[in-house]
């Protein structure tokens, strides 16, 4: 089977939806994979048995999609966010404002493909409402061999979060808990990679000595855009505890995947997450903690801060849970089975077509 992933980007979305699955698929007998954000003319469209269009909506790609249709290729559409519901405060909203041509293009592409693949059921149901297209859930998954924990030997407790500016209001969900813990525990520091909501600058510029001291205990790193090397970059933060806050009321967030939990779990970092759809599989107090409100965030964060053995136990349980369910070799086999069934269906349809059709 020859599979062609047409990537929408070269960052995290393409990494989890095409790059990692592509590598895992290529290790299976009889499978060849090409994954690229650039089309080499129609060469690979003609070569492939299966074409996966990852979050595409560009008009200039439509002729290649239509060529694939004429050639009888199986075409799938893969998308990992509910673009129609991006909140206006997100920096991504500028790319997908309500009613824009790109959103109409996404819906048109989904309808034009044979099948839809999504990482979560809420996302699939949302796009089925919008397009009428059936879907299959193939969750984001990790190559756990790439995720190796690095212990914190600094003597300071490191509490962290990693994310981009698209999570401005999500990060605010944990603000009360994080700063209250910092104020109560002078042996703790807050580690932020990618976005810090301007906290460090505002605190450092404050006339209050207490705020200036808090600013000193904010360890801020730039975002790390190289997705294949991201596991090592996150491990290098040497976090003892992580938070995964989300605004739970947003449908956009309810359709998101659990990938932040998986990343922390892979490094055995215990997490306090919002009690929101992507994280409801976390078993509270066993594989992590779920927080229903800011004070709940604080209480559960404090439990982890005060109990090193609890941190170790939950971190190990989280890794074992994630590895048993979200290894990319498993999702690769699921994808191969899906592609095979669609190819069989296409072949049966072609054999049953009337002469001249």
């Amino acid at each position: 089977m020859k599979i062609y992933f047409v990537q929408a980007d070269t960052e995290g979305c393409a990494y989890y939806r095409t790059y990692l699955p592509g590598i895992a698929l290529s290790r299976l007998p009889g499978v060849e994979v090409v994954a690229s954000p650039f089309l080499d003319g129609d060469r690979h469209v003609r070569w492939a048995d299966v074409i996966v269009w990852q979050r595409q909506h560009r008009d200039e790609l439509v002729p290649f999609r239509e060529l694939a249709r004429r050639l009888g290729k199986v075409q799938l559409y893969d998308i990992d966010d509910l673009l129609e519901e991006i909140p206006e405060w997100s920096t991504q909203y500028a790319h997908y404002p309500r009613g824009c041509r790109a959103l109409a293009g996404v819906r048109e592409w989904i309808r034009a493909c044979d099948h839809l693949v999504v990482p979560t059921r809420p996302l699939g149901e949302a796009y089925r409402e919008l397009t009428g297209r059936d879907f299959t859930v193939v969750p984001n998954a990790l190559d756990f061999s790439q995720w190796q924990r690095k212990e914190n030997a600094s003597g300071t407790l490191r509490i962290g979060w990693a994310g981009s500016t698209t999570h401005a209001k999500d990060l605010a969900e944990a603000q009360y808990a994080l700063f209250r813990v910092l104020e109560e525990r002078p042996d703790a520091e807050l580690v932020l990679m990618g976005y810090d909501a301007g906290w460090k600058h505002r605190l450092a510029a404050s006339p209050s000595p207490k705020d200036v001291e808090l600013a000193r205990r904010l360890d801020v790193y730039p975002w790390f855009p190289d997705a294949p090397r991201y596991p090592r970059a996150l491990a290098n933060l040497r976090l003892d505890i992580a938070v995964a806050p989300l605004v739970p009321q947003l449908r956009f967030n309810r359709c998101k995947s659990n990938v932040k939990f998986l990343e922390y779990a892979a490094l055995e970092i215990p997490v306090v997450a919002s009690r929101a759809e992507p994280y409801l599989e976390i078993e509270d107090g066993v594989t992590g903690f779920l927080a229903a409100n800011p004070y709940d965030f604080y209480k559960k964060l404090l439990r982890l801060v005060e109990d090193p053995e609890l941190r170790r136990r939950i971190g190990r349980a989280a890794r074992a849970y994630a590895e048993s369910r979200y290894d990319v070799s498993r999702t690769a086999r699921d994808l191969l089975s899906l592609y095979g069934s669609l190819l069989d269906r296409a072949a049966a349809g072609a054999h049953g077509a009337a002469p001249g059709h």
Side-chain angles (χ1 to χ4, degrees):
M1 187 187 299
K2 297 185 286 292
I3 304 162
Y4 183 25
F5 289 103
V6 186
Q7 300 167 322
D9 57 63
T10 58
E11 299 180 0
C13 295
Y15 178 73
Y16 281 118
R17 301 308 297 167
T18 64
Y19 180 86
L20 277 182
I23 290 174
L25 281 162
S26 68
R27 292 171 179 159
L28 299 176
V31 179
E32 298 177 64
V33 177
V34 171
S36 174
F38 309 107
L39 263 71
D40 182 14
D42 62 7
R43 175 188 169 199
H44 287 112
V45 170
R46 294 181 179 277
W47 165 85
D49 302 307
V50 175
I51 302 172
V52 181
W53 303 97
Q54 186 233 339
R55 207 181 68 239
Q56 298 293 345
H57 50 74
R58 291 181 287 160
D59 291 339
E60 61 266 30
L61 296 183
V62 171
F64 297 97
R65 187 190 74 200
E66 295 309 305
L67 172 63
R69 173 69 57 229
R70 293 193 298 273
L71 294 173
K73 310 295 184 177
V74 167
Q75 300 186 79
L76 299 95
Y77 193 89
D78 189 290
I79 193 165
D80 60 345
D81 275 320
L82 183 55
L83 301 181
E84 279 79 1
E85 296 286 343
I86 294 175
E88 294 184 14
W89 46 261
S90 169
T91 54
Q92 285 297 101
Y93 183 79
H95 301 288
Y96 297 100
R98 304 286 185 269
C100 72
R101 172 71 186 101
L103 293 178
V106 167
R107 295 191 293 271
E108 191 268 330
W109 272 80
I110 292 173
R111 294 187 187 103
C113 289
D114 300 300
H115 201 67
L116 174 65
V117 181
V118 292
T120 73
R121 179 160 296 279
L123 182 60
E125 291 171 348
Y127 274 111
R128 183 164 57 189
E129 290 174 15
L130 290 166
T131 67
R133 176 60 68 209
D134 285 337
F135 66 91
T136 295
V137 175
V138 179
N140 288 328
L142 277 59
D143 176 352
F144 285 87
S145 69
Q146 302 299 312
W147 296 82
Q148 302 300 324
R149 177 173 176 78
K150 294 189 177 182
E151 295 295 338
N152 171 24
S154 69
T156 300
L157 190 71
R158 291 171 66 82
I159 305 167
W161 176 84
S164 69
T165 56
T166 62
H167 291 281
K169 290 199 176 180
D170 295 322
L171 182 57
E173 292 283 306
Q175 181 175 355
Y176 165 80
L178 291 169
F179 280 96
R180 181 165 175 181
V181 167
L182 285 182
E183 290 171 1
E184 294 177 359
R185 294 294 299 252
D187 60 335
E189 61 185 350
L190 177 58
V191 183
L192 299 166
M193 184 167 73
Y195 175 66
D196 75 340
W199 291 343
K200 189 174 182 73
H201 175 76
R202 288 198 299 272
L203 289 168
S206 170
S208 164
K210 184 178 80 170
D211 287 347
V212 173
E213 166 60 18
L214 286 176
R216 188 186 64 78
R217 290 195 281 132
L218 263 63
D219 196 7
V220 180
Y221 296 80
W223 182 244
F224 195 85
D226 186 346
R229 294 168 59 202
Y230 182 75
R232 180 176 295 182
L234 190 61
N236 284 341
L237 298 181
R238 289 176 163 80
L239 300 180
D240 298 292
I241 303 168
V243 295
L246 285 175
V247 178
Q249 299 86 358
L250 295 178
R251 191 182 189 191
F252 175 78
N253 281 345
R254 294 198 299 271
C255 290
K256 289 183 74 66
S257 81
N258 63 352
V259 71
K260 283 196 182 296
F261 165 63
L262 297 182
E263 291 171 347
Y264 296 135
L267 296 174
E268 299 183 17
I269 303 169
V271 65
V272 182
S274 291
R275 191 178 290 276
E277 185 75 37
Y279 303 132
L280 294 182
E281 68 187 283
I282 294 174
E283 187 175 355
D284 200 43
V286 177
T287 55
F289 281 108
L290 293 172
N293 54 58
Y295 185 67
D296 207 18
F297 248 109
Y298 161 72
K299 288 191 301 180
K300 292 179 175 179
L301 190 57
L302 194 62
R303 283 187 62 184
L304 288 170
V305 166
E306 293 179 339
D307 193 336
E309 179 53 36
L310 180 64
R311 295 198 298 270
R312 283 190 289 271
R313 186 167 69 247
I314 287 182
R316 289 168 184 161
R319 164 93 185 203
Y321 172 84
E323 198 165 2
S324 70
R325 289 165 174 80
Y326 295 100
D327 190 287
V328 72
S329 62
R330 168 187 282 193
T331 56
R333 292 191 295 272
D334 292 342
L335 283 171
L336 190 64
S337 176
L338 171 64
Y339 299 160
S341 66
L342 291 170
L343 283 168
D344 289 345
R345 186 189 308 170
H351 293 150
H357 285 72

